[in-house]
Amino acid sequence: MQNATATETRASEDAGATAVIAHRIRADRQQEYESWLEEIAPLCQASRGHLDWHLVRPIPGLTELYTVVIRFDTRANLEAWMASPTRARLIEKARPLFVTGDDFFIRSGLDFWFAPAGARALVPVRWKQALLTWSAIYPLVLLVTLSAEFLLRSAGLATSRAVSTLLVTGVVVALMVYVVMPRYTRLLRRWLFE
């Protein structure tokens, strides 16, 4: 049994890891936070194992929440960055800008879509994650691609593969993270975790 757990842990680390960081920023301090992001982003991106950095800015007048999603090749490398003295120093520097603290959670691979809020260990088997993700992405890609092509043509805009792919992938990712997967995993929760 210990060998299976060790194998699952290694497989989970090999799949990469994601941290979702939420910073609620004081309304009058957002410009300072943007400058701070320009300082911390390159340091994070230069860290060992860094793969991706995505920033979701707040909607002006509605929210002060910035969400930063970072991906690393292994959980160990991600945790090393999150616990690094460099990051700790920069978080301390930004603390006066925060309404709340430095809130984040870490998941391995795509587990952050599948783990219930607050759960640390309950994650479905990989084949179920893959099947569920594929069954959600396929119709989304198909429908969003057709819709984007129709809208761009209707608006008389020239469509290039690069522009339409950028548009389609952006919409699909946003729908997957914010709309589809939270509801879809709740709907199929019994099957996922049996």
Side-chain angles (χ1 to χ4, degrees):
M1 194 69 155
Q2 283 183 326
N3 285 345
T5 304
T7 302
E8 286 174 14
T9 301
R10 270 194 307 280
S12 176
E13 283 202 1
D14 291 344
T18 302
V20 178
I21 306 160
H23 291 151
R24 189 166 307 283
I25 305 302
R26 299 181 192 287
D28 61 334
R29 308 294 293 272
Q30 289 186 352
Q31 192 53 48
E32 290 173 75
Y33 182 78
E34 290 278 347
S35 297
W36 177 83
L37 284 172
E38 291 174 11
E39 184 178 356
I40 195 170
L43 297 171
C44 174
Q45 292 163 345
S47 295
R48 181 177 185 188
H50 177 268
L51 298 173
D52 247 344
W53 167 288
H54 295 283
L55 172 65
V56 180
R57 286 183 169 85
I59 300 168
L62 294 178
T63 179
E64 304 86 28
L65 184 69
Y66 281 80
T67 304
V68 181
V69 180
I70 56 174
R71 282 190 327 117
F72 279 71
D73 60 350
T74 66
R75 186 177 185 108
N77 283 338
L78 173 57
E79 287 175 347
W81 162 251
M82 295 302 287
S84 71
T86 300
R87 184 175 187 280
R89 177 182 56 79
L90 288 167
I91 290 297
E92 238 0 87
K93 179 179 179 180
R95 241 177 243 296
L97 311 177
F98 299 162
V99 173
T100 57
D102 176 41
D103 301 322
F104 66 88
F105 66 89
I106 296 174
R107 294 285 187 262
S108 297
L110 294 176
D111 292 347
F112 69 94
W113 276 342
F114 298 97
R120 295 282 181 225
L122 186 61
V123 177
V125 294
R126 295 269 180 207
W127 72 266
K128 287 185 177 183
Q129 292 181 38
L131 186 61
L132 191 75
T133 304
W134 182 32
S135 71
I137 286 178
Y138 174 74
L140 275 178
V141 169
L142 187 62
L143 292 172
V144 172
T145 300
L146 293 173
S147 299
E149 288 173 0
F150 174 77
L151 290 172
L152 290 171
R153 255 183 282 156
S154 296
L157 300 172
T159 59
S160 74
R161 175 140 344 253
V163 171
S164 63
T165 301
L166 178 68
L167 177 65
V168 167
T169 55
V171 170
V172 167
V173 167
L175 288 172
M176 286 291 287
V177 171
Y178 294 106
V179 179
V180 175
M181 291 309 280
R183 289 166 179 82
Y184 200 28
T185 54
R186 218 174 9 251
L187 178 68
L188 297 175
R189 179 180 169 80
R190 174 181 272 170
W191 174 77
L192 273 171
F193 295 98
E194 67 184 12

